[in-house]
Amino acid sequence: QVQLVESGGGLVQPGGSLRVSCLFSGGTFSNHGIGWFRQAPGKEREFVAAVSWSGGNTYYADDVLGRFTISRDNAKRTVYLQMNSLKPEETAVYYCGADPPNGRVFPVRQPREYVAWGQGTQVTVSS
């Protein structure tokens, strides 16, 4: 059974940077693309970025393009999300998800299509 654990969240000032990580276990890592989502209080979970199973393809939401970078290290079974120039409105719980194994669609942007989720890590952007 696939399990995901996020880490690296915290408090950062506006304009600052933070890197969150997603550790994968319980399945074949290279069978899955991985997506990062975020959810603010009272709002729906929204897509942020995704990386394909090989790492060769990435995709970003328009509002993070150019500021966020998603990457994966298959040897470490870990996906990273580097976030730069953070804004207060990006305060949220950040979740990583595993898309369906051996899927043919990339990116997968709907949360309901993901087969596993981590518990989330809180990112707070505030002065």
Side-chain angles (χ1 to χ4, degrees), residues 35-106:
W36 279 101
F37 289 71
R38 62 191 177 193
Q39 189 166 16
K43 295 189 176 181
E44 294 185 351
R45 191 168 297 191
E46 66 172 356
F47 174 82
V48 175
V51 61
S52 63
W53 66 272
S54 67
N57 293 293
T58 57
Y59 189 86
Y60 299 91
D62 287 345
D63 58 351
V64 306
L65 187 64
R67 298 187 297 118
F68 289 16
T69 302
I70 189 170
S71 62
R72 68 189 289 161
D73 184 335
N74 281 358
K76 295 182 178 180
R77 300 162 70 89
T78 301
V79 173
Y80 305 99
L81 183 68
Q82 175 68 42
M83 304 181 288
N84 299 329
S85 302
L86 281 160
K87 306 173 183 179
E89 55 265 37
E90 295 179 310
T91 294
V93 178
Y94 283 69
Y95 297 92
C96 63
D99 71 13
N102 303 311
R104 297 185 177 184
V105 176
F106 179 83

